[in-house]
Amino acid sequence: MKILIKKLFFRLLTELKNTKVKSDKLFYFIINLESNIEKTTSYVVSYAKTIEDLELIIKERETYFAKMYQEWLANGYICFIVKEIDSTIGIVWLNNTRVVPLEFGYRQILNDKTEAALIDAYVVKNKRGKGVYKALWSQLLKEAKKIGIKTLYVHILNNNVLSFKVHYKLGLKGVTKILYYYRILWFNIYFVRNLKNLVDITYFKKYLKLN
């Protein structure tokens, strides 16, 4: 028994020596919907009713999104879409349930029914920069207010520079939390840093090269 434990111990040490620690950060932005000013756009926004509504989006992204989107629809998450002819060219997902699935297998627990989270958004590549996401964003805020949401969280990964730039232009500036993630061997380690005072997005300007 002692020999077995010793072998396992040395194997663990070897694995630790050779392993690379994966790490990442997820920024929590917060919007107070009671004071947010709505924007108007020319695109018509509707809801995804079935997975077939998201075919073009899934085709352009990775295949695992098909299963994930199917689960989200079944769980009652709201998917806003913009269609062009018969194809969906942009989406944004709103989760106003108690538990919000985030990156790295982490789960955010919302305090009450007045809180919600934007958990995913995507516009097909050849339609970007044409106001599609602005239309989705505007409708998201409008509908969230309508169902009694007062606080909306938007989560952006550390390396998603495009998302930072897009949301910065839409007025998203207040960082309320930072989720630190570490992957060591088979273990996921999470650390959430709560910020007492909102950190303005200008703090990240140099890093993100924002204008």
Side-chain angles (χ1 to χ4, degrees):
M1 186 66 179
K2 288 183 179 180
I3 295 174
L4 178 61
I5 293 173
K6 189 175 182 180
K7 284 182 178 180
L8 289 172
F9 177 73
F10 281 109
R11 182 182 174 184
L12 180 61
L13 288 179
T14 303
E15 291 286 343
L16 285 171
K17 185 178 180 181
N18 296 328
T19 193
K20 291 182 179 180
V21 177
K22 295 180 181 179
S23 63
D24 213 329
K25 287 185 286 188
L26 188 71
F27 293 92
Y28 287 56
F29 290 82
I30 191 169
I31 304 170
N32 183 347
L33 293 181
E34 293 181 311
S35 60
N36 193 77
I37 300 173
E38 296 171 11
K39 300 177 176 65
T40 58
T41 62
S42 58
Y43 284 98
V44 176
V45 180
S46 56
Y47 301 97
K49 297 178 180 178
T50 67
I51 197 67
E52 284 73 27
D53 289 325
L54 308 175
E55 280 184 355
L56 182 60
I57 302 293
I58 294 168
K59 184 179 179 180
E60 191 165 297
R61 305 186 83 177
E62 297 178 40
T63 53
Y64 77 86
F65 280 95
K67 182 181 178 181
M68 185 171 73
Y69 287 165
Q70 189 72 65
E71 290 176 356
W72 287 1
L73 285 170
N75 289 337
Y77 302 173
I78 303 170
C79 182
F80 298 98
I81 63 174
V82 166
K83 279 192 172 186
E84 193 170 78
I85 308 177
D86 292 325
S87 297
T88 296
I89 59 173
I91 63 169
V92 63
W93 285 88
L94 177 71
N95 182 338
N96 64 333
T97 64
R98 176 69 171 162
V99 181
V100 179
L102 299 178
E103 311 293 329
F104 332 120
Y106 188 79
R107 299 287 186 271
Q108 178 189 3
I109 306 300
L110 299 177
N111 290 326
D112 55 45
K113 292 183 179 180
T114 65
E115 293 188 343
L118 187 162
I119 56 173
D120 184 61
Y122 191 82
V123 175
V124 295
K125 293 176 182 178
N126 65 344
K127 298 297 178 182
R128 293 176 183 174
K130 298 180 179 180
V132 176
Y133 187 64
K134 186 178 180 181
L136 289 163
W137 177 260
S138 178
Q139 191 67 21
L140 170 74
L141 300 184
K142 185 177 178 181
E143 292 297 318
K145 281 185 181 181
K146 196 179 291 185
I147 61 175
I149 301 300
K150 295 180 180 179
T151 303
L152 178 68
Y153 292 98
V154 179
H155 310 90
I156 304 179
L157 274 171
N158 181 54
N159 61 355
N160 196 343
V161 177
L162 177 60
S163 184
F164 272 104
K165 288 183 175 180
V166 169
H167 288 97
Y168 174 70
K169 289 178 181 178
L170 290 170
L172 196 64
K173 297 181 179 181
V175 181
T176 184
K177 295 180 185 179
I178 302 175
L179 170 65
Y180 296 87
Y181 163 74
Y182 303 92
R183 173 76 175 181
I184 304 174
L185 292 178
W186 316 278
F187 306 103
N188 290 328
I189 300 173
Y190 309 105
F191 171 68
V192 177
R193 179 187 172 193
N194 291 293
L195 305 174
K196 292 182 179 179
N197 300 308
L198 293 183
V199 177
D200 195 275
I201 189 63
T202 52
Y203 174 81
F204 304 103
K205 268 191 173 184
K206 184 178 179 181
Y207 170 68
L208 296 169
K209 298 180 181 178
L210 294 170
N211 296 321

